[in-house]
Amino acid sequence: MHKILISSCLLGTPVRYDGTGQQLLHPQIMTWQQQKLIVSFCPEVAGGLPTPRDPAEISNDKVITNTGDDVTTEFKLGAQQALRLCQQHNIRFALLKESSPSCGRNTIYDGSHTGRKITGMGLTASLLEKNGIKVFSEQQMPALVQALA
C-alpha cells in the first residue's frame, strides 16, 4: 500500500489560520490511520507561520495576508518541505484542504480577501502536481479511494 500525504487540518489538528482543524470524517481515513499509511503535514506551519495567523490569499503570484504582509517565502518553504517529505516516503498521492493558498486543489480565494473563490491551485498543491504527485481535495475522496484501489 502507498502512504498518503494529508493536510493536518483534515485530521482535526488545529493548524488552520483561525486556530481550528477541519476534520474530515470519512471511514477510509480511519482505515488508512489503522494501516499507518497517513503522513500528516501542514505546509504553512512547516514554513514557519504561527497558529493562529492572519488569513492569506494568492495575489499576483504572491501570498498576502489580509493585513498586507507578504508571506510568500513561508508558503514556498512549506511547499518545498511537503515535496521533500513526499519524495522521502515515496508518496504518490496527497489529500489537501480545498481553497487554501497552500493546499487548494481546484479553487483558491481570489486575493481580494472578500470571500470570492476562483479556479486555481495553492502553492503546495501546484508544486506536488508538477512533481508527479496526484493531489485530491477533501471533495474528491471517492476519486482518491478509487485511485488507491
Side-chain angles (χ1 to χ4, degrees):
M1 285 293 286
H2 294 282
K3 289 194 175 202
I4 307 145
L5 184 77
I6 298 184
S7 294
S8 299
C9 63
L10 293 177
L11 299 171
T13 308
V15 292
R16 297 186 66 216
Y17 74 93
D18 59 2
T20 66
Q22 201 160 58
Q23 188 165 11
L24 178 61
L25 298 174
H26 190 284
Q28 189 63 53
I29 300 270
M30 290 161 61
T31 301
W32 291 334
Q33 284 174 319
Q34 290 165 351
Q35 295 171 332
K36 302 200 181 326
L37 297 176
I38 292 176
V39 176
S40 173
F41 190 76
C42 175
E44 294 170 26
V45 171
L49 294 172
T51 304
R53 56 191 166 274
D54 291 331
E57 298 183 3
I58 298 171
S59 178
N60 298 319
D61 294 323
K62 292 195 176 297
V63 186
I64 308 294
T65 68
N66 63 343
T67 57
D69 292 329
D70 184 339
V71 289
T72 308
T73 299
E74 291 86 346
F75 274 73
K76 284 184 174 179
L77 178 61
Q80 290 163 355
Q81 289 181 13
L83 176 60
R84 242 189 329 273
L85 191 62
C86 288
Q87 290 169 336
Q88 287 169 353
H89 291 275
N90 198 26
I91 293 172
R92 310 302 307 148
F93 297 93
L95 176 64
L96 303 180
K97 180 72 189 101
E98 190 64 271
S99 304
S100 154
S102 287
C103 297
R105 169 63 185 88
N106 303 297
T107 62
I108 55 172
Y109 289 94
D110 70 359
S112 67
H113 293 278
T114 59
R116 280 196 309 262
K117 292 181 187 179
I118 57 171
T119 299
M121 293 181 85
L123 272 63
T124 298
S126 178
L127 184 64
L128 295 181
E129 280 276 333
K130 285 176 186 160
N131 284 275
I133 296 156
K134 296 202 178 347
V135 176
F136 297 82
S137 80
E138 71 274 20
Q139 299 159 0
Q140 298 173 302
M141 270 300 288
L144 174 57
V145 170
Q146 187 174 17
L148 288 166

